[in-house]
Structure formats: C-alpha cells, structure tokens
Amino acid sequence: MRMVDVIQKKRNGEELTEQEIRFFVDGYTEGSIPDYQASALMMAVYFRGMNDKETATLTQAMVDSGETIDLSSIQGHKVDKHSTGGVGDKISFLTGPIVASVGVPVAKMSGRGLGHTGGTLDKLESLSGFNVEITKEQFIENVNKNKLAVAGQTGNLAPADKKLYALRDVTATVDSIPLIAGSIMSKKLASGADSIVLDVKTGSGAFMKTLEDSEALAREMVNIGNNLGRNTVAVISDMNQPLGYEVGNANEIKEAVEVLQGKRVDDLRRLSLELASHMTILAEVFDTYEEAYAKLEENIENGKAFEAFRKFIEAQGGNVAMIDDLSKLPSSKYQVEVKAPKSGYVSAIDAESIGVAAMYLGAGRATKDDEINHGVGISLKKKIGDEVSEGDTLVVLNSDDEDPTDSIEKVLSAYEIDASKPEELTLIHKVIK
Ligand code: URA
C-alpha cells in the first residue's frame, strides 16, 4: 500500500477502508509515514470528512496504537467525564466529588493546560503537596477507598493521537468533527472507564461555534462510545463566555470549593449537577434524572460533596488547610482593575481572549516548558447581560506585574458593550444519548 494513494482517495472524497486507515495510523505512529503526508491526509479529511464507520475505525486504530488502562480492579461501575475544552472550566473538580459522594468511582486521567486553555493538573497543583504522579497501584487504591483520584495521563495512551494532535495544531486541521471525535474518544476509550459523559462546548469560546456543529460532534462521539462498548451521553453546554467568574489556577480552586460548600448557586453548580446526574444514571445508582439531581444537590447542601473533595486532596498529599481556609491559597502581588470604557450592557466576552490574557499573567503556558504561576489569574466582575457604567470594574487581574499592559489590552478587546440588553444565554442546550 502507498500513502500517496490513500491521500488521493480521500482527496477525491472516497471512503477509506479499515486497512487503509490502520496503515496510516500505524505508519505515522512508528515514523514510516512522514509529517507532510500525514498533513495532506488531515487536510483532505478536513475538507472531505469521514463517515461514521471511518471515524470509528480511526478511533479504534488510535486506541490500538498504545496502551490501554485496565481499571477492572476498581470495584463498581467507573464513569468518566470529559469536556471538549473551555476557559474557566473547573467542572471536573465539581463532578468528581459530587459523583464520588454517592459512591460512584471516578478514576480520572487529566491533562495540563496549553495556550488559552487551563489544565486540571495545573489547577490542582495550586494546593501545596498535591501529587499527580501517583503510581498505578496508588491510583487504584485511592479510587477504591475514596471513590476519586486524578492522575496525569501516562505517556503511552493513544500515542497516535498525541502525534497527530500536535500536527493538526500547526496545520489548521483541529476543528474537524471526525478528527476531534476520534482524538477525544481514543483517549477516553484507552483510559478504561465503563461509561462516559461528555461536556460538548458550543459558542464563541469553543471549537464548535454553532449549535449545529456541536450537535454533530456530540452525536459522532456518542455513536463511537456506544458502538465501542461504553455507554456514552453528551451534554451540549454554552461557551460564549468563560465559565463562572474565575480564570487561572488557585482562584479556580477557590471558586470550585465555594460551589462544593453550597455557597454559590450559579451556572457552575447547575452544569456540574447536570453532568453528575448523567454520570450517576449511567452508573445505575439512580433511575431517573430528577432523583439523581435532587440527591446530588442534597449532597452539596449537607457537606458530603465537599467532604469527598477533602478526602481526595488529602489522599494525594495536598494541603487541605488551603481549602479549609481559602486565604491560604497562593495569591498575587497586585490586583489591577480593568474598567469599562463606556456605559451599556456587556453583550459579549470572548473566552479565548480572556484565556490568553490569563496566560500572559503567567496562569498558563505559551510553550510546553513554561512554568505556571498558581497565584495569578483573572476574576471577572461583569458577565454577559450585566449593566455597566463607564469606569466600573470589568475584571480584576491578579498579577505579579504592577502594570500588565498586554493582559489589560487583551481583556478590553474581549469585552463588547452595547446600548441594548442582550438576550439571555442558555447554559444547557441539549442532551444527546
Ligand atoms: N481535544 C482533544 O483532545 N482533541 C481534539 O482534537 C480537540 C480537543
């Protein structure tokens, strides 16, 4: 078989066979197919697409390119949750303990942040001592004991995806539905959970800007999961502005703790209860959505969800004093206010620009090797629909630089202020089963 023929076939809009897809995935992973041919194929897929069968084959071939994690020594029905990526997305810190609080095991493999998106591991490392590099045995023991553990993804999970994702990132081929679906689902399938709940983001800050595209992506991933033996549900949720009010690391932990302690009743609580409800239904702990939602909400109110978070942090060496007393979390030297340049209503907040502004402050990485500064970040004071007067504070930049000009400019470019009040945003658009 010749790679050039596979590229030509897809370029002409034809369906690739399983043999051809595996030839490409295996050859690219081992290095016999060069980047330029892989790039050409990715671009052909970008324009010509892949049908359900091809996408499922691509996914399985990427799973088979590396190790799979065996979670069979964890008792109970393991559920995983995955977000397609957003700014201020601290939902994993919420769904994990909420679901664990009713006895459902959550064995979570997470990543680090790159560019404008943050990473769960970086955020957790705001807590001094927290160890994400626990052994497999420790990970399994912690899940069995506390129903929740988080570890860094092992090096050899879906290596084909790792290589391809890096290539897509620099060849303008990320936002293709079959390629995103294959990429995300290969990692989820390789990490061994029995059921998967996907939080598919839609809107200006998401890969998929329209509801139609987000729904197509969600359906594709649900099909792949169900066809490859994992019960999968997708919730399509809004990403037209950052999630919650805090973007960074320690400040996101603080916000999550306040939700877990029942002190915040907002979008974060609503979305995490939605996702957690589907997780516990898939784990067969509850029969109906209403029952699941009510019980999980009760566990926020009665402190059980926060207790599950505390136990999880403690078991991984994290300093629980920092979550018991949030003032002990890392903080920044300066608080710089960014003010509204005119009066009106906030009509848009570009989530990506807010993520980039946080990265400029040091909360994220421009390159893989950058160090994270856990104490810096952005606190939004106004969100879409809020009325503002000229000079009101839009955001506070928690910064170690007294005059973070780049971040100020980026935040100002992210906010749009209009004379008329915008329509209210819908947080949860659809559930795809
Ligand atoms: N996240 C992934 O893991 N892969 C993609 O292709 C897009 C988002």
Side-chain angles (χ1 to χ4, degrees), residues 120-195:
T120 297
L121 301 183
D122 298 322
K123 294 175 195 182
L124 285 169
E125 283 174 347
S126 304
L127 300 165
S128 58
F130 191 90
N131 182 14
V132 298
E133 277 158 22
I134 50 179
T135 62
K136 191 171 168 228
E137 291 69 34
Q138 187 71 57
F139 181 71
I140 287 174
E141 192 186 319
N142 285 6
V143 182
N144 276 331
K145 192 160 157 226
N146 301 318
K147 304 297 170 205
L148 174 62
V150 174
Q153 224 156 56
T154 71
N156 208 26
L157 215 61
D161 173 63
K162 195 167 178 193
K163 218 173 152 186
L164 267 181
Y165 190 48
L167 183 78
R168 287 166 54 216
D169 204 22
V170 292
T171 54
T173 50
V174 169
D175 47 346
S176 145
I177 289 171
L179 296 182
I180 297 178
S183 166
I184 291 177
M185 291 308 287
S186 64
K187 285 174 286 207
K188 291 290 106 185
L189 293 166
S191 4
D194 301 311
S195 296

